[in-house]
Amino acid sequence: MANYIALLIPVFLLLIGIEWWYSYQREDRRYHGPNTALNMAVGAIDQLGALLYMFLLYVAMDFSKQHFQMVEMPLDWRQWLLAFFAVDFTSYWYHRCSHRVNFLWAGHVTHHSSNFFNLSNGFRTSPFQGLFRIPFWMLMPVVGFDPLLLLVTFKVVGLHDFFVHTPYVAKLGWLEKVIVTPSHHRVHHGKNDLYIDKNYGSFLIIWDKMFGTYQEETETVEYGITSAYTDDSPVHAITYYFKILAKQWSLTPGLWNKVRVWFMPPGWRAEIHVTDLSKPLLVEANRLSKKQKRYAIWLLAVGVCGFVLTLFAYRLYAVFLVGYTFLFSVSSIVQGALLLNHGFTNDIRFWEKFRLFVLLLFVFFIVDIHWVIGLLILLCLLLSGFMWWKWTSPGESQTWGDLR
């Protein structure tokens, strides 16, 4: 499955690049460099987490099948067809619950917290969303579905989710009545009063029409979430609402109310004396020189290439080699996103030096395991060190946010 994802990521990146270029030509500011970099960093963390949660999902569904299966179903085209509807139906209810139950929303809010809506949002998914999905998917093997078939169906149907994250595709005529279109999904990402908690469907829009959550796109969409949130870092994007819930839990009186904090809908409050649980962090101005931007973009490029290659070939090499290359790739992407969102603060300078030192310390073990990969990574680290020394000294600043 990871090889399949590795083949698709370059295609997705190409489509993002084309849409970004189109946005630049139109001067409509649908893309923002730091935001797109942060989306990619969150996506890299999620794909790393997927190695664990997809395995756990299969194990959980297989356990459910072995111990609780009530119906036998032949493994033929009919099961594939039924699995498509079952996966999409389950996705609808999981998605709907993720907007109405606080701890599930904490895992899903990462996807909604961006104030920009474009194809790169398809990468902006928390690994907690994958973990929280497991109990819902365990129900399908009970009625006879094969766990492996469900996983394949889920990944194939999930491809559709990427393509609906675009502001440029208008309404699609009769298709609007059957499948989830970009117009439907723009509504879902809106924080307009009219659009909140609407259009939960994954592939088919019929579930929303059946269960009363359908809304047509009738007014300009304002993207993001209603609480005060500022893009800060990939980790903050993933843990943001968990921190709010933890703070609310600590301030809420009574054991029963503390339990309810995690299971009530977003926005629920017991009688607590707090003005704003979601007060955003103060983020330093992200002013970068042109050379500093080049360094951050270099980290993103190296990280994405390394991540794709690792996904494609991870089964061929030793665990230590795969773990190191994932660490090298994901840390490069995350650090690039941090630099573009924060600038070269003292804390970030320290952590980048520490990251390069640790990676360089262990790269010689990689050379012993596979000298070609080891030398390539060593070359990237030496180039990074050289660019860090030459390009990241304080100089003439320019705000990256001015670039589309």
Side-chain angles (χ1 to χ4, degrees):
M1 189 66 71
N3 299 56
Y4 153 78
I5 295 170
L7 290 173
L8 289 174
I9 288 177
V11 177
F12 292 159
L13 291 174
L14 176 62
L15 293 173
I16 289 170
I18 292 171
E19 188 183 57
W20 196 342
W21 173 83
Y22 182 67
S23 172
Y24 181 82
Q25 295 299 312
R26 288 167 55 96
E27 299 185 349
D28 59 12
R29 296 183 179 271
R30 298 287 189 180
Y31 274 82
H32 179 60
N35 172 265
T36 304
L38 191 138
N39 292 347
M40 293 170 60
V42 171
I45 294 171
D46 177 56
Q47 286 302 310
L48 194 60
L51 298 175
L52 172 63
Y53 69 67
M54 292 302 290
F55 170 74
L56 294 177
L57 177 60
Y58 176 80
V59 170
M61 289 195 298
D62 188 61
F63 177 85
S64 182
K65 181 180 176 65
Q66 296 298 326
H67 292 83
F68 305 107
Q69 183 179 8
M70 297 187 299
V71 181
E72 288 283 347
M73 193 180 299
L75 190 58
D76 57 19
W77 67 269
R78 289 170 293 182
Q79 185 174 165
W80 284 98
L81 180 62
L82 289 173
F84 165 76
F85 287 99
V87 166
D88 203 59
F89 181 75
T90 304
S91 295
Y92 168 84
W93 281 106
Y94 170 57
H95 195 176
R96 184 167 178 172
C97 289
S98 294
H99 281 251
R100 303 304 301 155
V101 178
N102 256 334
F103 83 93
L104 294 178
W105 176 240
H108 184 56
V109 69
T110 306
H111 185 64
H112 281 267
S113 56
S114 172
N115 291 325
F116 295 84
F117 184 80
N118 51 59
L119 287 176
S120 73
N121 279 75
F123 290 161
R124 190 180 175 117
T125 305
S126 164
F128 289 105
Q129 188 170 316
L131 285 173
F132 294 161
R133 177 183 290 116
I134 292 174
F136 290 80
W137 260 247
M138 287 179 69
L139 299 174
M140 287 183 280
V142 173
V143 293
F145 288 104
D146 179 76
L148 184 58
L149 183 148
L150 289 172
L151 280 183
V152 174
T153 304
F154 166 61
K155 298 305 290 186
V156 172
V157 173
L159 291 176
H160 179 73
D161 293 340
F162 174 81
F163 295 100
V164 295
H165 290 92
T166 178
Y168 295 117
V169 176
K171 293 183 179 180
L172 298 176
W174 64 270
L175 285 175
E176 299 281 324
K177 300 178 180 180
V178 183
I179 68 171
V180 175
T181 66
S183 175
H184 294 144
H185 206 62
R186 287 194 291 269
V187 166
H188 179 69
H189 275 261
K191 61 181 179 181
N192 315 46
D193 290 340
L194 180 64
Y195 293 159
I196 289 176
D197 292 338
K198 301 295 183 182
N199 297 359
Y200 295 114
S202 178
F203 188 89
L204 297 173
I205 197 65
I206 59 174
W207 312 122
D208 287 286
K209 294 186 176 183
M210 287 174 60
F211 298 111
T213 53
Y214 173 73
Q215 174 60 50
E216 184 181 357
E217 185 179 17
T218 57
E219 63 184 43
T220 303
V221 183
E222 186 180 355
Y223 300 108
I225 55 178
T226 56
S227 57
Y229 169 84
T230 302
D231 267 347
D232 175 74
S233 73
V235 173
H236 176 62
I238 292 170
T239 61
Y240 156 74
Y241 200 71
F242 286 106
K243 291 182 283 189
I244 289 178
L245 290 180
K247 184 176 180 180
Q248 185 180 348
W249 179 87
S250 68
L251 294 171
T252 298
L255 179 60
W256 173 236
N257 280 335
K258 286 182 180 292
V259 173
R260 294 175 72 196
V261 163
W262 299 94
F263 293 92
M264 293 300 286
W268 178 85
R269 297 282 189 271
E271 293 299 323
I272 53 177
H273 300 288
V274 58
T275 56
D276 187 8
L277 288 165
S278 57
K279 184 178 179 180
L281 298 178
L282 293 176
V283 180
E284 297 180 51
N286 53 330
R287 301 187 64 82
L288 305 177
S289 70
K290 290 182 178 180
K291 290 181 178 179
Q292 289 172 341
K293 290 175 200 171
R294 290 175 193 165
Y295 182 73
I297 293 170
W298 157 260
L299 290 182
L300 289 171
V302 168
V304 169
C305 291
F307 192 82
V308 171
L309 291 173
T310 304
L311 282 177
F312 190 75
Y314 77 100
R315 293 178 181 174
L316 303 177
Y317 304 112
V319 173
F320 179 78
L321 173 58
V322 173
Y324 179 90
T325 53
F326 268 130
L327 176 64
F328 168 77
S329 303
V330 174
S331 67
S332 297
I333 295 171
V334 170
Q335 191 70 2
L338 282 172
L339 293 173
L340 290 177
N341 279 277
H342 275 283
F344 283 67
T345 64
N346 290 333
D347 286 345
I348 290 178
R349 286 176 182 275
F350 168 79
W351 285 112
E352 178 60 2
K353 292 174 184 177
F354 179 77
R355 185 185 76 91
L356 292 175
F357 172 75
V358 171
L359 289 172
L360 194 59
L361 192 64
F362 286 95
V363 74
F364 298 103
F365 294 100
I366 303 301
V367 174
D368 285 340
I369 297 172
H370 195 292
W371 69 270
V372 174
I373 295 176
L375 288 178
L376 282 174
I377 294 176
L378 178 60
L379 178 61
C380 288
L381 290 174
L382 292 175
L383 284 173
S384 296
F386 176 76
M387 286 187 282
W388 175 265
W389 174 61
K390 291 288 290 184
W391 290 358
T392 64
S393 59
E396 182 181 353
S397 296
Q398 179 179 346
T399 303
W400 166 261
D402 292 340
L403 295 177
R404 292 183 293 276

